[in-house]
Amino acid sequence: MTQVKNWQLNRDMEYPYEEKRPNRQVAYIFDTNKCIACQTCTVACKTTWTSGKGQENMFWNNVETKPYGFYPTAWDVKLLDALKGQEWNKETYEGKTVFEAAPAGEKVLGHLPSYQDYANPNLGEDEIAGIVDKGAFFTGVHNVWMFYLARICNHCTYPACLAACPRKAIYKREEDGVVLIDQTRCRGYKECVQACPYKKTFFNMVTRTSEKCIGCYPLLERGEQPRCVQTCIGKIRLQGWLSKPNEAKEDNPLDYIVHFKKVALPLYPQFGTEPNVYYIPPIHVPREFLLQMFGPHAEEAVKIYRAVKSDPKLLAAFLLFGNTPKIITRFDFTEKETIGFNEKGEEIVRVPLTEPFFEREYFDAKLNVYRHNTA
Amino acid sequence: MKRILIMSGILLWSALAAAEEIKVPYVKLENDFFAKPDPKAQEWNTIETTNISMLPQNITMPSLKEATIKNLSIQTLHNNKWIAIKLVWKDPTKNVHVESSEASDACAVQFPFGEAAKTSPFMGNKGAMVAILHWKGIWQNDIEKGYQQVKDLHPNTWVDTYRFGIQAAIDKKNPIAQPDRKTPVEELFAEGFGTLTTQPKQNATGSGVWENGEWNVVLARPLKSGDKNDPPLKAGSQTSLAFALWDGAAQNVGSRKNYAPWVPLILEKNR
Ligand code: SF4
Ligand code: SF4
């Protein structure tokens, strides 16, 4: 084990390989507040990549309802339980990562789900955390919560899947940080399935190899965002390149949201893999739950998010989500618009900060129809 | 760190012999006996058995804490053209499928290219290659019952269409993803942990039967195959053999295995 720097934990940690960051790192921001669990992303991914034999229950992208939704069953609570105390001292994680907590004879602390665990991807869907107060069903505020958590492979900086593979069949691409399983080298030992804390490598019982999200790299290679991002109905997703924290650029929308504003946070940073999907935490969820799931910045992130109306730059960055299939590497904004540019500096998207408002007549005289069916 | 491990390994593996030696008697047999070996063939009845204790692999990670199969019985014979090795071990459950939480029963034998004393029994080491014959229950099942499909394990699985599906490992000819497998044995070579590689030319044969809580598996290969990846064997000479067993029920895969280090193998001169 060597010592590597994990900025999400604000400390060095143990990892089987040396620190070697890719030339650029694929990263995503998901705004949990906007997800409607329509599963368009799930289906887009499924029909593109995993509709073959042996992939029946395989969802590289899934959307689960928290707190009772899991795919595979109990994936996170099982690991949280095994990891024991996960204390933070301000910014610094003082508990153990999955590498540091590995039992004797293992490289990573993990668990292997069963077939049944994958067979119910919508377990707990739309279930709320408690009971709605009597009388509040039809009036007033529902004093319970739930939220949708969209999940893909995090293309981690320190992938646990890669660390666990005894054959070195898993590699992280230098050009974009995408983590891939070599389908000619894998011998189906399932070590990665056991090790990935997010359960985002899957065993295919027909090819007898493990398979995982490939970050739609053929799209990345031609400057386009992955399928799950492009198709997202709720426009909750943005994919781009995230710089190392000391090289962050204020005009890169991902850097701005993650490194400058710290409003999007890694999922379970305490696992130690430095995941690269960053979540804007749901604003109505109890503090403790958010702290456990997104780390010590969660409360602050919610505050900043709530104040976005009076933060035009952050708003400008947010409005880039879901408005172009292309990868935005730089953004700028005016009083009225936000503008996204590609790597070549070409403008690829322009979005108004406030949608124009149209009021239409109740009756359309030209077509001779009523536009509303209510009086 | 790695170097220290390997060095201490070298010291260990001469001291760790699992049995004194295995004699390979010459038996006058047609080559057909080896081409489709039958683990229950009566020819085996008169062959001496060597019992070997298995150890949990705990040199490299991931490892086994305790042996999941403790004993292995070995019989061998040759006809001056082929050698056959029969492995018998107790296993109360027959595991011949794989999926996320199922692994296949399996066994392997390993020959050194050079001197066994200078070759790690743990899949060889740099500059000291080993050749491996590997049998798996699921490969035996592929041949007898057809390639495993999801419906074999989960008959109620329903799918609208597979029309757009890709099967990358099969398309890319990964040797473990062979829908038209011809033999339940795979020949490999290795030069240390993590270097296991399927040989381009496959010359081995084999067969396994599970009955009454016991696997009987025969592995066979030509003494001289002409393949540069098969260490040539010769009647009247000596080599060594190391062994590995996997219990599917205990999720044994890869380095999570039971092993026995080098045992001298003495090929009897033909009479
Ligand atoms: S999320 Fe899991 S599969 Fe993806 S890179 Fe990280 S450890 Fe590997
Ligand atoms: S497509 Fe977007 S809004 Fe719909 S479930 Fe997926 S992430 Fe949520």
Side-chain angles (χ1 to χ4, degrees):
Chain A
M1 290 269 178
T2 53
Q3 292 287 315
V4 295
K5 175 128 214 91
N6 183 326
W7 69 266
Q8 297 175 351
L9 307 181
N10 193 34
R11 68 167 170 88
D12 289 355
M13 62 160 206
E14 284 175 16
Y15 188 68
Y17 299 104
E18 306 265 310
E19 177 168 351
K20 194 167 171 275
R21 287 173 189 269
N23 295 338
R24 58 181 181 185
Q25 174 63 57
V26 65
Y28 305 75
I29 299 174
F30 290 3
D31 184 349
T32 59
N33 296 290
K34 285 161 69 183
C35 178
I36 54 172
C38 61
Q39 307 283 5
T40 309
C41 48
T42 309
V43 173
C45 176
K46 183 96 186 131
T47 50
T48 309
W49 300 117
T50 64
S51 61
K53 289 186 177 172
Q55 298 175 317
E56 289 77 0
N57 292 332
M58 193 188 293
F59 293 96
W60 292 352
N61 181 107
N62 80 289
V63 182
E64 57 200 50
T65 306
K66 285 301 182 199
Y68 295 126
F70 309 94
Y71 169 78
T73 308
W75 67 272
D76 53 349
V77 288
K78 265 190 197 161
L79 186 59
L80 291 167
D81 231 20
L83 205 52
K84 310 239 169 55
Q86 295 143 51
E87 294 292 320
W88 291 83
N89 182 358
K90 298 208 180 79
E91 309 256 293
T92 309
Y93 180 56
E94 292 190 333
K96 285 190 169 160
T97 67
V98 292
F99 308 109
E100 292 160 349
E106 306 282 327
K107 281 195 177 152
V108 180
L109 173 71
H111 60 94
L112 197 60
S114 71
Y115 179 86
Q116 279 71 23
D117 292 332
Y118 293 101
N120 306 288
N122 57 351
L123 184 83
E125 192 162 281
D126 285 343
E127 270 180 43
I128 47 178
I131 294 169
V132 177
D133 293 340
K134 225 182 177 174
F137 287 98
F138 303 110
T139 55
V141 178
H142 290 186
N143 225 353
V144 283
W145 60 275
M146 49 74 105
F147 69 98
Y148 301 125
L149 186 70
R151 304 204 305 113
I152 57 171
C153 164
N154 292 285
H155 298 284
C156 304
T157 308
Y158 303 113
C161 56
L162 183 153
C165 177
R167 286 181 62 72
K168 298 200 172 100
I170 304 186
Y171 60 105
K172 188 167 172 68
R173 304 210 310 177
E174 235 164 71
E175 61 267 43
D176 51 19
V178 168
V179 176
L180 295 177
I181 303 175
D182 183 340
Q183 290 301 314
T184 64
R185 230 189 121 59
C186 173
R187 281 186 73 90
Y189 296 157
K190 299 175 278 191
E191 295 299 339
C192 55
V193 181
Q194 175 159 337
C196 169
Y198 303 94
K199 294 296 163 253
K200 282 297 174 188
T201 62
F202 301 86
F203 186 67
N204 180 323
M205 61 188 269
V206 176
T207 65
R208 302 173 185 175
T209 55
S210 299
E211 301 179 329
K212 69 177 288 298
C213 161
I214 59 170
C216 290
Y217 69 79
L219 285 175
L220 299 182
E221 284 170 3
R222 44 174 224 241
E224 276 191 45
Q225 305 189 58
R227 275 272 192 278
C228 59
V229 180
Q230 286 196 25
T231 55
C232 174
I233 299 290
K235 300 189 173 191
I236 84 150
R237 302 184 179 211
L238 181 72
Q239 177 268 323
W241 312 111
L242 187 78
S243 309
K244 297 163 198 163
N246 56 344
E247 291 170 14
K249 294 187 264 327
E250 218 176 319
D251 60 2
N252 170 344
L254 274 96
D255 281 354
Y256 186 66
I257 295 169
V258 172
H259 288 316
F260 286 85
K261 298 301 284 192
K262 296 186 173 35
V263 63
L265 306 168
L267 176 64
Y268 296 123
Q270 64 269 40
F271 292 164
T273 63
E274 218 190 276
N276 286 301
V277 178
Y278 294 84
Y279 290 86
I280 300 175
I283 57 176
H284 56 287
V285 168
R287 178 177 168 268
E288 294 72 18
F289 199 88
L290 292 186
L291 291 182
Q292 179 178 44
M293 194 169 252
F294 301 109
H297 276 291
E299 257 185 309
E300 193 55 32
V302 169
K303 255 190 228 149
I304 298 168
Y305 186 78
R306 280 185 185 275
V308 69
K309 254 195 200 158
S310 51
D311 187 343
K313 186 164 179 183
L314 188 59
L315 185 66
F318 281 174
L319 286 173
L320 299 169
F321 285 49
N323 279 326
T324 170
K326 300 275 170 0
I327 299 175
I328 302 168
T329 54
R330 182 169 70 81
F331 80 112
D332 200 356
F333 68 108
T334 66
E335 259 174 45
K336 288 212 176 89
E337 287 172 321
T338 177
I339 310 140
F341 302 90
N342 67 10
E343 225 167 351
K344 291 184 202 139
E346 297 158 349
E347 178 182 320
I348 48 172
V349 67
R350 191 175 274 263
V351 189
L353 295 188
T354 312
E355 288 280 342
F357 185 82
F358 300 101
E359 203 168 340
R360 299 198 296 177
E361 287 299 320
Y362 182 69
F363 180 72
D364 185 331
K366 199 169 136 213
L367 295 173
N368 191 27
V369 288
Y370 287 96
R371 287 201 172 105
H372 300 248
N373 59 2
T374 51
Chain B
M1 183 64 196
K2 227 180 210 157
R3 177 142 305 159
I4 293 170
L5 251 179
I6 289 171
M7 291 305 292
S8 61
I10 288 176
L11 294 178
L12 268 177
W13 59 67
S14 44
L16 261 183
E20 265 170 32
E21 58 180 38
I22 298 171
K23 287 211 178 75
V24 190
Y26 168 81
V27 182
K28 196 166 182 291
L29 285 168
E30 295 300 320
N31 290 343
D32 275 1
F33 177 87
F34 300 87
K36 278 212 176 98
D38 173 9
K40 293 286 175 180
Q42 58 171 18
E43 281 82 350
W44 291 107
N45 296 347
T46 53
I47 306 293
E48 197 184 315
T49 300
T50 308
N51 293 314
I52 288 177
S53 308
M54 302 302 288
L55 301 164
Q57 188 293 114
N58 54 17
I59 300 289
T60 191
M61 287 193 279
S63 62
L64 278 191
K65 278 198 198 74
E66 277 170 37
T68 51
I69 302 163
K70 302 219 162 53
N71 299 298
L72 168 66
S73 303
I74 300 291
Q75 290 172 296
T76 59
L77 53 82
H78 77 89
N79 75 343
N80 211 26
K81 284 266 187 297
W82 285 76
I83 179 171
I85 303 147
K86 180 175 166 184
L87 297 88
V88 179
W89 73 94
K90 294 244 173 310
D91 184 345
T93 51
K94 180 185 182 186
N95 300 96
V96 292
H97 289 291
V98 293
E99 65 164 82
S100 41
S101 51
E102 271 193 59
S104 173
D105 295 330
C107 66
V109 299
Q110 175 182 280
F111 294 92
F113 273 81
E115 254 179 86
K118 288 183 185 154
T119 308
S120 163
F122 302 104
M123 310 194 39
N125 45 281
K126 202 142 188 125
M129 229 162 69
V130 295
I132 294 163
L133 307 185
H134 189 15
W135 171 95
K136 275 192 192 181
I138 188 169
W139 296 339
Q140 189 73 44
N141 201 61
D142 285 347
I143 287 160
E144 289 169 12
K145 307 232 168 98
Y147 194 77
Q148 170 190 280
Q149 296 297 337
V150 176
K151 278 193 186 273
D152 298 335
L153 272 76
H154 305 287
N156 295 328
T157 300
W158 172 258
V159 165
D160 293 322
T161 178
Y162 286 119
R163 222 175 110 199
F164 305 105
I166 333 163
Q167 292 184 293
I170 294 176
D171 296 348
K172 290 284 161 211
K173 305 228 173 327
N174 183 324
I176 72 147
Q178 280 180 47
D180 55 351
R181 183 173 282 283
K182 301 281 180 316
T183 152
V185 182
E186 187 183 17
E187 274 192 291
L188 307 109
F189 56 78
E191 243 190 328
F193 290 121
T195 64
L196 189 65
T197 306
T198 305
Q199 295 187 12
K201 260 179 86 183
Q202 297 285 320
N203 310 300
T205 63
S207 180
V209 184
W210 185 88
E211 249 177 40
N212 307 322
E214 192 177 80
W215 274 114
N216 285 246
V217 177
V218 175
L219 301 168
R221 54 155 280 194
L223 294 186
K224 249 194 227 134
S225 63
D227 180 351
K228 69 173 185 345
N229 293 313
D230 301 340
L233 306 172
K234 213 173 118 198
S237 76
Q238 182 177 332
T239 178
S240 290
L241 210 53
F243 305 88
L245 295 176
W246 290 263
D247 179 11
Q251 283 292 341
N252 291 173
V253 281
S255 60
R256 297 177 196 269
K257 67 185 173 196
N258 306 280
Y259 79 98
W262 299 123
V263 180
L265 191 73
I266 298 157
L267 278 82
E268 196 189 61
K269 262 211 174 105
N270 48 324
R271 279 172 262 165

